[in-house]
Amino acid sequence: MFNRNSFNSTHAEHGNRSGIRQIFTPNIGTIIFGIIFVYMLISVFIYMTATHVRSYQVTAGPLTKNTNYTGLAVYSERLFRADAGGYINYYAADNAKIRSGGVVYGISSSRQEAKEQPVSAETLKKIHGNIDSFAQTFSDTDFHNIYSLKYQVEGAILNAALDGSTSSSTMTIGDSTLNMAPMEGVISYTTDGMEDLKDRPITADDFDRKLYEMKSLKTGDAVKTGDPVYRLIDSENWSLLIPLSAQQIVRLGDISNIRVKFLKDGITQKATLTILTMENGSYYGKLDFTSGMIRYLDNRFIDIELVTNTQLGLKIPVSSIVTKRFFTVPDEYAAFGGDSNEIGFLKAVTDREGNATTQFVMPVIYDHANGRYYLDDTEFSAGDIIIREGSTDRFIIKDSAELEGVYNMNKGYAVFRRVNIIDKNEDYCIVEKGTSYGIAQFDNIVENASDVHDSQITAR
């Protein structure tokens, strides 16, 4: 009798063996997959065990950043106070120069109303010029400057009317007492109580900005006798004091003249630097200026940058520097030829028939200094002979010298490029721009030069 269960069991067992044989039967796809898998394993192993070439993009700039400081401004200034109480009407423009005897302000027992005042054609022309100049530079963000124009116009009219009429420091017109500047200088209507800095020792509290307060003297309120009314700066010579640490003293100790960049407006000025030692053992740098006072006279604290890193060029890591030895040949053996008329040399060779002849060779010239060209061993070997053009003089290539350089990797392999170092610290150095057969900004160079050799394939 036919046993269905026995048949199915036998069939299933046969089918399973067949399936197993089919899975492990070699075919071309399995072989290719196996080869690729082995290749990937080898590649990963090589990558993990190989020395990796690190890339560095060349930048331009100084070796290190210049140090920023906050300086305390010291001016040749004097604070003037009211001789009597009353309401003040200012006639001199804020932060503007005034002549000796020029009217600064008038003070009266009551508020003064504007009155008509006759002026000459010359004064009127001057006023028109001031208004035109103001209109050309006016900006909505500087609307407050219109008050300076108001004082300037009023002062010009009043000074023209009083010109030569008095030599005293005050003059009375009606109910108003006019006060004149006792000397030539620049007017400021601010005070901070530090107008005596030039005449007293500096203390640490002077640099505490939390204790500092600048006040405007233009309040519109009545003043009392003895209240400050204006400040007069009578010299273009002024100074900045900056606190210094012992480390900064060492760095700045040998510098007497220095460039100072004012961070407020980006303007750079020259200053004379003097190191001051105080009785409490603290150090200060005193920067003396002979101009620029008028730009900062309402600023007691001024942020600056001392421009000590003046060496500019291409900035690269010290680890990228490598030395390479080159053949040196006298430059009088150079010849010119080829389609581009480039520099080459006449190399002594032997032709197929064994006759002595010359071959014009154009090697890469890495440097030209002290009357000698620097050539690598690509086109020449030690013992090769070059012949002077138009002469029978011969030179045997044997002398050599070292050049400093880096490996350029723009093309995907290491190519030596010469550099001329002009400044250096532990981590970076500055090299000249525009060096013949050198590097340029944004070039990619090998950072770890000691792990690379000429023409080595590099990964960018």
Side-chain angles (χ1 to χ4, degrees):
M1 176 181 285
F2 175 74
N3 189 330
R4 181 182 299 273
N5 293 333
S6 177
F7 174 79
N8 290 338
S9 176
T10 303
H11 182 73
E13 183 179 351
H14 177 75
N16 289 338
R17 293 198 191 102
S18 177
I20 293 173
R21 285 196 299 271
Q22 288 180 359
I23 292 175
F24 290 99
T25 299
N27 57 60
I28 188 64
T30 305
I31 294 173
I32 293 175
F33 178 80
I35 293 174
I36 294 175
F37 182 74
V38 173
Y39 173 78
M40 291 176 62
L41 288 177
I42 295 174
S43 298
V44 170
F45 176 78
I46 293 174
Y47 178 81
M48 296 298 292
T49 57
T51 300
H52 301 295
V53 178
R54 298 191 302 271
S55 172
Y56 176 86
Q57 189 174 69
V58 178
T59 59
L63 188 60
T64 57
K65 283 187 175 182
N66 293 309
T67 305
N68 293 348
Y69 300 85
T70 296
L72 184 68
V74 180
Y75 305 104
S76 177
E77 56 191 323
R78 179 180 170 188
L79 187 65
F80 290 86
R81 302 178 180 274
D83 295 330
Y87 291 90
I88 288 184
N89 193 35
Y90 288 104
Y91 297 107
D94 194 12
N95 293 357
K97 289 185 178 181
I98 189 171
R99 63 180 174 82
S100 177
V103 178
V104 180
Y105 69 95
I107 188 167
S108 59
S109 58
S110 61
R111 295 185 185 276
Q112 297 295 300
E113 301 294 334
K115 297 180 181 179
E116 291 186 2
Q117 178 71 39
V119 295
S120 65
E122 183 180 353
T123 301
L124 191 61
K125 182 178 179 181
K126 182 179 179 181
I127 293 172
H128 284 163
N130 292 336
I131 294 174
D132 289 341
S133 177
F134 174 81
Q136 291 176 7
T137 59
F138 176 75
S139 170
D140 291 343
T141 58
D142 297 324
F143 181 78
H144 63 278
N145 287 338
I146 198 168
Y147 293 102
S148 294
L149 176 65
K150 172 180 177 289
Y151 300 135
Q152 190 174 3
V153 171
E154 290 179 346
I157 294 173
L158 193 58
N159 283 321
L162 299 176
D163 191 24
S165 61
T166 180
S167 58
S168 63
S169 60
T170 61
M171 181 179 179
T172 301
I173 296 182
D175 186 39
S176 181
T177 300
L178 302 181
N179 284 261
M180 285 72 167
M183 63 195 75
E184 184 181 37
V186 177
I187 294 291
S188 173
Y189 296 119
T190 61
T191 179
D192 57 7
M194 302 178 74
E195 289 79 16
D196 61 344
L197 280 176
K198 190 175 181 180
D199 303 317
R200 65 170 175 82
I202 302 298
T203 66
D205 289 342
D206 292 326
F207 289 87
D208 190 345
R209 302 185 77 162
K210 294 180 181 179
L211 303 177
Y212 181 77
E213 183 181 4
M214 173 74 77
K215 296 180 181 179
S216 174
L217 298 174
K218 291 182 180 179
T219 63
D221 300 328
V223 299
K224 300 176 182 178
T225 302
D227 285 350
V229 288
Y230 74 95
R231 186 166 54 112
L232 183 67
I233 298 89
D234 62 3
S235 175
E236 273 288 333
N237 297 327
W238 63 291
S239 304
L240 273 179
L241 295 175
I242 55 175
L244 296 176
S245 64
Q247 184 179 7
Q248 290 168 333
I249 290 290
V250 173
R251 188 163 61 249
L252 300 174
D254 296 330
I255 301 176
S256 57
N257 295 294
I258 195 169
R259 289 171 57 217
V260 178
K261 181 179 179 180
F262 294 89
L263 302 184
K264 175 182 178 181
D265 49 23
I267 293 177
T268 300
Q269 286 185 214
K270 290 183 179 180
T272 301
L273 174 62
T274 307
I275 305 299
L276 305 179
T277 303
M278 312 308 288
E279 293 182 358
N280 61 1
S282 58
Y283 299 98
Y284 295 96
K286 184 171 180 281
L287 299 164
D288 294 317
F289 302 90
T290 58
S291 63
M293 171 273 297
I294 198 169
R295 293 197 305 271
Y296 312 108
L297 61 89
D298 282 337
N299 299 102
R300 186 64 65 182
F301 292 94
I302 303 175
D303 294 326
I304 61 170
E305 174 186 313
L306 293 187
V307 186
T308 55
N309 298 314
T310 57
Q311 295 284 10
L312 298 178
L314 301 176
K315 183 178 178 180
I316 61 175
V318 171
S319 61
S320 67
I321 301 296
V322 65
T323 56
K324 183 179 177 181
R325 186 162 290 276
F326 294 87
F327 294 122
T328 61
V329 299
D331 54 11
E332 62 262 25
Y333 281 84
F336 296 89
D339 297 335
S340 60
N341 200 34
E342 293 184 1
I343 296 176
F345 299 89
L346 296 176
K347 180 179 179 180
V349 295
T350 302
D351 61 17
R352 293 180 179 178
E353 287 75 26
N355 300 318
T357 185
T358 59
Q359 177 187 0
F360 184 75
V361 178
M362 289 191 301
V364 176
I365 297 175
Y366 288 82
D367 196 12
H368 180 209
N370 301 320
R372 302 182 79 83
Y373 286 112
Y374 288 71
L375 317 175
D376 65 10
D377 57 2
T378 304
E379 302 290 344
F380 294 103
S381 300
D384 285 346
I385 298 174
I386 56 175
I387 300 175
R388 187 172 181 176
E389 189 175 24
S391 171
T392 58
D393 294 345
R394 299 158 69 88
F395 178 82
I396 300 175
I397 295 178
K398 60 180 184 302
D399 300 332
S400 65
E402 288 184 340
L403 289 178
E404 290 183 315
V406 298
Y407 284 120
N408 187 299
M409 52 188 294
N410 288 344
K411 297 180 179 180
Y413 56 91
V415 179
F416 183 88
R417 292 287 186 265
R418 183 176 68 89
V419 297
N420 185 21
I421 299 174
I422 56 178
D423 200 2
K424 184 178 181 180
N425 62 21
E426 293 181 359
D427 300 315
Y428 291 92
C429 57
I430 298 297
V431 301
E432 286 183 354
K433 290 183 177 180
T435 302
S436 177
Y437 203 71
I439 57 175
Q441 187 176 2
F442 306 122
D443 277 353
N444 290 286
I445 63 174
V446 176
E447 184 175 352
N448 50 327
S450 59
D451 298 330
V452 178
H453 57 78
D454 276 316
S455 301
Q456 177 179 327
I457 301 299
T458 58
R460 290 186 52 188

